[in-house]
Amino acid sequence: YWNGLTRLASQSTISFMTLDQSRPFYAWHSIGISDQFGRHLGVYLKGVAGKVDYRIALNNPGRSPLGNGIDYSANFNPGGEPLSSLVYRGVSTPDEKGYNTGNTILTGYAKYNFLENESVKLPYYSGTYLGEKEVIALGTGFFWHPNGMYDTESEQHSSIFHFAADLFVDLPVNGGAVNGYLSYTSFDYGRDYISRWAGTGNVLYGHFGYYYKRLSIMPYIGYSYGQFEGASDPVKSLNVGLNYFLTGHHCKLTVEWYQLLNDFREKALILGDVSKLSQVRVQIQVAL
């Protein structure tokens, strides 16, 4: 779980500031595709050098990707025709000489801590410290999978390369704390390819929340905007919610309104022949 790209790729599921990881799972872009719930088999190096902490991992991808690594661009095309002949299953497709390839992923992330350093004992980055730490961190990361893609028309392999930059702020203020996060990610799987969670193109994601300590509540808002080569309209999501902390992150209640626009990988949008999905979600978390 020492993942690269962004801090949300290794986010602690116990201390989410929002109800859950933002969907589409841009931060968990490889989930079920080359990993098992955000985890690869491999080796890693991590450490701290002054105000900088870093992680880099050399991993082996899974051989049975979710959905067989297909291209989803047909879902975004009114004619239902795929725009790409690429599939994300290079590791399970031998090259022209019959040799296995695409067996290695290199990924890493590093950030500069302007104020307090965060712990690197475990790989999980906190969503919010609820005013217990002063953190401003600027980070950048990458994900490289040589020969991870396979073109069913040319019968050639090609590589995947993503990079990102993000900013995390979590500060105590009078009466509580503020939490903010902003990331930019550039995904490159190959021309026009749309994956299960991301796709060739660019994604902006951000969220902001304010913790009102006296009432133990934290209202928040989150927003993502993804523009893919294989989609004519941007994929957008909006999360507006409220956390009520009974005992910090150990016991909390979250109510959230969620809306997803133009993500035609979602069955509710495909079957309903609509472009918008809206939900009200309620969750209680107990962590012993």
Side-chain angles (χ1 to χ4, degrees), residues 235-270:
V235 176
K236 306 174 187 178
S237 71
L238 178 65
N239 306 68
V240 180
L242 178 72
N243 292 310
Y244 174 50
F245 298 95
L246 287 82
T247 314
H249 290 296
H250 292 285
C251 186
K252 66 181 179 182
L253 176 69
T254 304
V255 179
E256 181 184 272
W257 176 75
Y258 166 74
Q259 186 175 83
L260 179 65
L261 295 174
N262 303 322
D263 193 346
F264 299 105
R265 294 166 293 193
E266 298 290 343
K267 286 186 178 180
L269 300 188
I270 298 171

Side-chain angles (χ1 to χ4, degrees), residues 13-73:
T13 56
I14 293 177
S15 64
F16 281 137
M17 196 279 284
T18 54
L19 180 142
D20 201 343
Q21 184 77 280
S22 178
R23 188 180 180 107
F25 294 141
Y26 297 129
W28 286 339
H29 60 93
S30 63
I31 194 167
I33 309 297
S34 66
D35 65 33
Q36 292 187 8
F37 204 74
R39 292 158 175 83
H40 286 95
L41 178 66
V43 295
Y44 66 87
L45 174 70
K46 56 100 170 181
V48 178
K51 302 297 289 183
V52 176
D53 63 65
Y54 58 89
R55 56 184 66 190
I56 188 167
L58 187 66
N59 296 326
N60 184 256
R63 304 187 70 85
S64 301
L66 180 69
N68 207 22
I70 64 170
D71 164 45
Y72 283 85
S73 63

Side-chain angles (χ1 to χ4, degrees), residues 160-178:
I160 296 162
F161 185 78
H162 313 318
F163 71 91
D166 61 6
L167 175 66
F168 174 75
V169 176
D170 199 76
L171 295 172
V173 296
N174 291 336
V178 292

Side-chain angles (χ1 to χ4, degrees), residues 23-134:
R23 188 180 180 107
F25 294 141
Y26 297 129
W28 286 339
H29 60 93
S30 63
I31 194 167
I33 309 297
S34 66
D35 65 33
Q36 292 187 8
F37 204 74
R39 292 158 175 83
H40 286 95
L41 178 66
V43 295
Y44 66 87
L45 174 70
K46 56 100 170 181
V48 178
K51 302 297 289 183
V52 176
D53 63 65
Y54 58 89
R55 56 184 66 190
I56 188 167
L58 187 66
N59 296 326
N60 184 256
R63 304 187 70 85
S64 301
L66 180 69
N68 207 22
I70 64 170
D71 164 45
Y72 283 85
S73 63
N75 294 42
F76 295 80
N77 185 335
E81 295 294 328
L83 299 179
S84 174
S85 55
L86 293 168
V87 290
Y88 194 172
R89 56 172 184 263
V91 66
S92 54
T93 308
D95 64 15
E96 63 273 12
K97 295 182 180 179
Y99 296 120
N100 290 332
T101 187
N103 295 304
T104 302
I105 291 173
L106 184 65
T107 183
Y109 178 75
K111 64 182 177 67
Y112 182 84
N113 300 289
F114 290 91
L115 300 176
E116 293 185 58
N117 281 15
E118 296 183 89
S119 172
V120 297
K121 184 177 182 180
L122 297 174
Y124 313 109
Y125 282 124
S126 177
T128 175
Y129 293 101
L130 300 178
E132 296 181 359
K133 288 179 73 70
E134 293 183 325

Side-chain angles (χ1 to χ4, degrees), residues 117-274:
N117 281 15
E118 296 183 89
S119 172
V120 297
K121 184 177 182 180
L122 297 174
Y124 313 109
Y125 282 124
S126 177
T128 175
Y129 293 101
L130 300 178
E132 296 181 359
K133 288 179 73 70
E134 293 183 325
V135 178
I136 299 178
L138 181 64
T140 185
F142 72 95
F143 179 94
W144 180 41
H145 189 174
N147 294 326
M149 301 298 292
Y150 181 72
D151 192 318
T152 56
E153 290 185 356
S154 68
E155 299 184 342
Q156 297 292 315
H157 286 77
S158 58
S159 299
I160 296 162
F161 185 78
H162 313 318
F163 71 91
D166 61 6
L167 175 66
F168 174 75
V169 176
D170 199 76
L171 295 172
V173 296
N174 291 336
V178 292
N179 176 278
Y181 178 78
L182 181 65
S183 68
Y184 164 78
T185 307
S186 174
F187 292 102
D188 187 0
Y189 297 89
R191 185 175 178 82
D192 292 329
Y193 178 84
I194 298 179
S195 78
R196 182 62 188 89
W197 308 118
T200 297
N202 303 300
V203 173
L204 284 172
Y205 171 75
H207 64 232
F208 177 81
Y210 174 75
Y211 175 52
Y212 189 30
K213 187 174 183 180
R214 183 178 177 183
L215 297 180
S216 298
I217 62 172
M218 189 172 198
Y220 66 82
I221 184 170
Y223 179 76
S224 71
Y225 181 96
Q227 184 68 68
F228 304 136
E229 286 184 0
S232 57
D233 297 314
V235 176
K236 306 174 187 178
S237 71
L238 178 65
N239 306 68
V240 180
L242 178 72
N243 292 310
Y244 174 50
F245 298 95
L246 287 82
T247 314
H249 290 296
H250 292 285
C251 186
K252 66 181 179 182
L253 176 69
T254 304
V255 179
E256 181 184 272
W257 176 75
Y258 166 74
Q259 186 175 83
L260 179 65
L261 295 174
N262 303 322
D263 193 346
F264 299 105
R265 294 166 293 193
E266 298 290 343
K267 286 186 178 180
L269 300 188
I270 298 171
L271 298 177
D273 193 26
V274 294

